[in-house]
Amino acid sequence: MPESKLLTEHYHKDEYRGLQGYKANGGYQVIEKAFKMDPQKIIEEVLNSGLRGRGGAGFPTGRKWSFLPDNGEPRYLLCNADEGEPCTFKDRMMMERAPHQLIEGMVISAFAIKSHKSYIYVRGEYTESVEILREAIKEAYDAGYLGKNILGSGFDHDMDVYAGAGAYICGEETGMISSLEGKKGQPKLKPPFPAVKGYLGKPTIVNNVETLAAVVPIIKDGADAYKKFGTEKSTGTKLFSVSGDVQKPGNYEVPLGMPLRELIELAGGMKPSRTLKAVIPGGTSAPVLNKEEAEKATMDYECLAEMGSMLGSGAVTIIDDTRCMVDMLHVITHFYHHESCGQCTPCREGTGWLNKIVNSIVEGRGRLQDIDTLCKVADHMKGKTICALSDAAALPVLSFVPKFRSEFEFYIREGRSKVKGTRYAEMHA
Amino acid sequence: MFKLSPEGVEFVKSEVARYESKESAIIPALYRVQKENDNWVPNEAISELSQIMDIPEARINEVFHFYTMFNKEPVGKYHVQVCTNVACAMAGTREILKDLCDEHGVKVGEVTSDGRYCFQNVECLGSCGTAPMLQINQDKYNENLDIEKTKQLLKDLP
Ligand SMILES: Cc1cc2nc3c(=O)[nH]c(=O)nc-3n(C[C@H](O)[C@H](O)[C@H](O)COP(=O)(O)O)c2cc1C
Ligand code: SF4
């Protein structure tokens, strides 16, 4: 199965970044079609397309939009471009290769949900994406695709870019809203959901970059055409960020449901004389798959959920037989410990303990009973906190340890890695 | 003692007016200070911002301390931020970071004695398809590196 480039067809052309080039390749035509439609009809089309959020949770987009209360309050659209889930790099490419596609998708979405103001919240490190978006927004204002009475439709919409300042937790939608309001980026307990009470207490729809861009082909050719791609419950195409031990890492847009084996082939296959050992299929928060699971997996929401993992953000990390799973888990536990916002005790303390225990193992100070302590701590972190970061930190532990237990036991007994033969010199500050 | 330039003050004021809640201007204002002060935010800048923005210092400090991209201490002329998360670690960035620190006789996070570099490990910067990567200050990413390319890159900096 080849790639199916619904979104990325023109990404290789440099001209596609600018307004003229975008238009020359069919851009900004769907916006005109959308303005002739009833906003409610657009929401229905998105609902019928089966589009699910591409940011990680996979919530049906049309359903989220229909949760907006009809109370006359101003509504906000917030594009989540925080892209902090480790190994994810698709949103950055989308913003840098096709900023106008995102703007077009956002204006159509805003028109559908009757929002007159949107923000694109970009992680602070993406300085280049921020510059490209600011330039594109300026072009779009000048050409009348943003601002007052867009294309004579009577619809007004303003758009702005906001740069974050380094915090994974600001990718969580309520954390993002707090951050945009000028506070610490700490999540809030849900409900109320942002669709009811979001930015400045007003109804707010938060969607990922890829989700909002996908609205363009859905409205262009209709829900039925979109559903021709993918499986029954995972419709359309998805950008997968493939990284790690493959020969051609990169972003690949393929129909959902593609066998993981084929995705690996698309990314150049394994390196010479190496074999597949494991795959993290949806960002580091997604439980790891062992070789047998990876060989059977298809890249859709249902299959990965059935295997106890998830599609997440679409970040697929390929791990070959030269890798030490204890070392890999160490990198991951360090990350979550660094990123916990500290509000909830199970998460703040738990991420600290996980990191400390794995740290002691890689430094050769581990004890065999630490393996069970590790799992017990992780187990107590699930489902008890304000946001899902705590679970996201627990799940890698609860999959790495049971699936690769012998590597952990070996490391503890021998004080060195079963795969590498040495002890990994601790380098994290 | 640090003071924002007149243009910097104007910028902060315009950001205060730009958003529906003026606190939203805190992040842009801190970035501005950092840009005018060799990539770090000295304490006195918080008082100055508090006056310009009419926001209590405690509120500004809350934001200042929450986000990792605001540097609380000098980070040298070039703050070399090496990603050591999963994909980059697999591609050898921890070895690159160690090599750089050893070569310059510093620990991770320390500024070299000539004030030129500070080498820092950071979490995933979203460049995993082009690992190993690093970011210097807030500039364009440097991707597809190895130790030789990294050393050359640092040498070529002005
Ligand atoms: C800890 C944490 C981090 C998250 N990071 C991101 C992120 O970087 N980008 C993103 O789009 N969604 C992220 N999410 C998911 C958002 O909360 C939210 O579900 C998403 O932006 C909704 O958009 P979608 O429905 O279009 O996917 C994160 C969630 C959690 C719990
Ligand atoms: S679960 Fe962790 S990251 Fe989420 S709100 Fe609680 S402490 Fe913060």
Side-chain angles (χ1 to χ4, degrees):
Chain A
M1 210 184 318
E3 289 181 83
S4 298
K5 298 187 171 184
L6 275 188
L7 292 167
T8 57
E9 183 186 354
H10 303 292
Y11 277 30
H12 59 286
K13 302 174 189 164
D14 281 339
E15 60 165 17
Y16 202 61
R17 289 179 170 201
L19 184 109
Q20 287 318 321
Y22 182 64
K23 285 183 76 171
N25 289 284
Y28 284 122
Q29 285 174 9
V30 187
I31 211 174
E32 302 199 23
K33 178 176 178 189
F35 283 152
K36 292 189 196 110
M37 290 168 73
D38 178 17
Q40 189 54 39
K41 180 80 184 66
I42 299 178
I43 297 182
E44 277 165 28
E45 206 64 30
V46 171
L47 190 66
N48 291 338
S49 75
L51 176 65
R52 296 170 64 164
R54 304 299 195 221
F59 193 82
T61 306
R63 225 162 83 218
K64 186 187 279 187
W65 292 4
S66 60
F67 289 155
L68 284 165
D70 212 357
N71 56 8
E73 281 191 300
R75 294 162 168 190
Y76 292 94
L77 177 64
L78 181 51
C79 172
N80 190 339
D82 198 55
E83 193 156 69
E85 181 69 25
C87 301
T88 318
F89 48 98
K90 66 190 174 71
D91 296 340
R92 174 170 162 237
M93 177 181 81
M94 299 190 81
M95 293 186 280
E96 293 182 3
R97 302 308 305 181
H100 285 286
Q101 182 184 54
L102 175 60
I103 295 171
E104 184 171 19
M106 285 181 68
V107 175
I108 297 168
S109 305
F111 176 70
I113 64 168
K114 304 195 174 90
S115 159
H116 301 296
K117 176 86 206 201
S118 59
Y119 288 97
I120 307 174
Y121 185 107
V122 187
R123 63 179 298 176
E125 295 90 343
Y126 282 1
T127 340
E128 220 183 341
S129 309
V130 169
E131 274 169 29
I132 290 170
L133 284 172
R134 290 213 164 115
E135 179 57 34
I137 287 176
K138 198 169 151 296
E139 280 185 309
Y141 268 105
D142 290 344
Y145 294 115
L146 283 171
K148 292 252 170 294
N149 190 17
I150 300 171
L151 303 178
S153 63
F155 177 67
D156 305 338
H157 190 78
D158 285 308
M159 190 179 288
D160 205 348
V161 177
Y162 194 82
Y168 168 64
I169 197 57
C170 291
E172 196 282 336
E173 52 188 4
T174 58
M176 174 167 291
I177 289 168
S178 303
S179 178
L180 184 60
E181 289 170 343
K183 303 178 189 138
K184 289 189 278 191
Q186 288 182 325
K188 293 197 192 89
L189 203 61
K190 295 182 268 193
F193 287 93
V196 176
K197 211 168 174 316
Y199 178 56
L200 304 174
K202 302 286 186 285
T204 304
I205 291 295
V206 185
N207 275 130
N208 174 257
V209 172
E210 188 185 349
T211 312
L212 291 168
V215 170
V216 179
I218 290 170
I219 298 306
K220 177 167 178 264
D221 296 320
D224 288 336
Y226 190 74
K227 279 194 290 201
K228 290 213 176 89
F229 297 91
T231 69
E232 194 190 330
K233 287 190 182 138
S234 302
T235 59
T237 61
K238 172 90 188 81
L239 270 77
F240 288 107
S241 301
V242 186
S243 67
D245 297 318
V246 284
Q247 303 207 50
K248 286 194 298 171
N251 287 306
Y252 295 90
E253 184 184 6
V254 302
L256 282 160
M258 175 183 262
L260 175 52
R261 277 180 292 105
E262 286 184 32
L263 184 61
I264 295 174
E265 285 314 309
L266 207 52
M270 306 300 293
K271 294 176 182 164
S273 71
R274 307 251 194 111
T275 56
L276 183 69
K277 176 171 182 175
V279 175
I280 308 176
T284 53
S285 308
V288 67
L289 305 177
N290 63 24
K291 183 175 192 232
E292 293 69 43
E293 290 165 325
E295 278 170 351
K296 279 185 282 179
T298 55
M299 297 306 287
D300 49 74
Y301 296 96
E302 314 86 272
C303 172
L304 293 172
E306 251 167 54
M307 290 186 164
S309 187
M310 57 188 187
L311 189 83
S313 61
V316 185
T317 308
I318 311 299
I319 300 166
D320 73 23
D321 56 336
T322 66
R323 303 295 173 182
C324 168
M325 299 308 270
V326 184
D327 181 36
M328 303 262 329
L329 184 63
H330 182 221
V331 173
I332 295 172
T333 53
H334 181 274
F335 170 75
Y336 289 105
H337 176 48
H338 185 257
E339 301 299 338
S340 167
C341 87
Q343 285 190 95
C344 318
T345 311
C347 173
R348 183 186 60 240
E349 302 299 320
T351 53
W353 277 107
L354 296 182
N355 188 47
K356 222 180 192 158
I357 299 170
V358 182
N359 203 17
S360 74
I361 300 177
V362 294
E363 285 181 354
R365 296 182 284 108
R367 298 162 309 169
L368 275 173
Q369 64 264 38
D370 288 346
I371 296 181
D372 291 328
T373 314
L374 203 54
C375 294
K376 224 184 276 165
V377 173
D379 210 44
H380 283 302
M381 291 168 67
K382 288 194 301 176
K384 290 194 174 63
T385 53
I386 293 176
C387 89
L389 186 140
S390 191
D391 295 69
L395 293 173
V397 170
L398 294 171
S399 54
F400 271 73
V401 175
K403 289 182 191 178
F404 299 95
R405 192 172 176 109
S406 70
E407 284 193 38
F408 285 81
E409 289 173 351
F410 185 97
Y411 210 126
I412 291 172
R413 265 201 311 268
E414 309 277 327
R416 61 191 168 90
S417 164
K418 187 175 175 186
V419 183
K420 301 278 185 196
T422 55
R423 183 184 304 166
Y424 197 81
E426 161 66 350
M427 237 173 288
H428 284 302
Chain B
M1 172 124 161
F2 173 79
K3 249 183 119 33
L4 268 175
S5 66
E7 300 77 41
V9 174
E10 277 321 299
F11 171 80
V12 171
K13 286 184 178 160
S14 70
E15 286 294 299
V16 167
R18 177 175 181 165
Y19 305 101
E20 283 157 274
S21 81
K22 69 177 177 185
E23 282 83 6
S24 303
I26 298 174
I27 288 181
L30 288 167
Y31 271 132
R32 179 72 192 211
V33 170
Q34 198 153 277
K35 197 166 143 194
E36 292 191 13
N37 190 56
D38 290 328
N39 213 17
W40 72 287
V41 181
N43 262 327
E44 65 259 26
I46 305 294
S47 330
E48 193 190 0
L49 287 182
S50 167
Q51 277 176 6
I52 301 170
M53 303 173 80
D54 192 23
I55 295 173
E57 279 187 43
R59 276 290 282 113
I60 300 178
N61 266 319
E62 217 177 84
V63 172
F64 177 42
H65 288 282
F66 186 79
Y67 298 93
T68 54
M69 285 177 69
F70 298 129
N71 299 313
K72 283 88 197 169
E73 283 165 33
V75 288
K77 186 173 179 196
Y78 299 113
H79 191 206
V80 181
Q81 299 152 97
V82 182
C83 170
T84 52
N85 205 294
V86 174
C88 274
M90 290 169 84
T93 50
R94 293 176 300 183
E95 289 75 8
I96 294 178
L97 180 61
K98 182 167 176 357
D99 212 320
L100 293 175
C101 286
D102 289 351
E103 184 186 331
H104 293 271
V106 285
K107 292 204 185 89
V108 170
E110 274 178 9
V111 182
T112 54
S113 54
D114 59 0
R116 191 170 156 91
Y117 305 114
C118 172
F119 305 107
Q120 183 70 56
N121 59 315
V122 293
E123 297 300 348
C124 182
L125 294 184
S127 185
C128 330
T130 44
M133 72 81 65
L134 61 81
Q135 182 175 32
I136 299 174
N137 299 337
Q138 273 200 67
D139 300 341
K140 228 175 121 144
Y141 285 5
N142 301 287
E143 304 167 84
N144 293 313
L145 296 169
D146 55 33
I147 187 67
E148 295 315 317
K149 281 190 209 160
T150 306
K151 286 185 178 168
Q152 194 57 47
L153 172 82
L154 296 185
K155 259 189 223 128
D156 291 345
L157 291 170

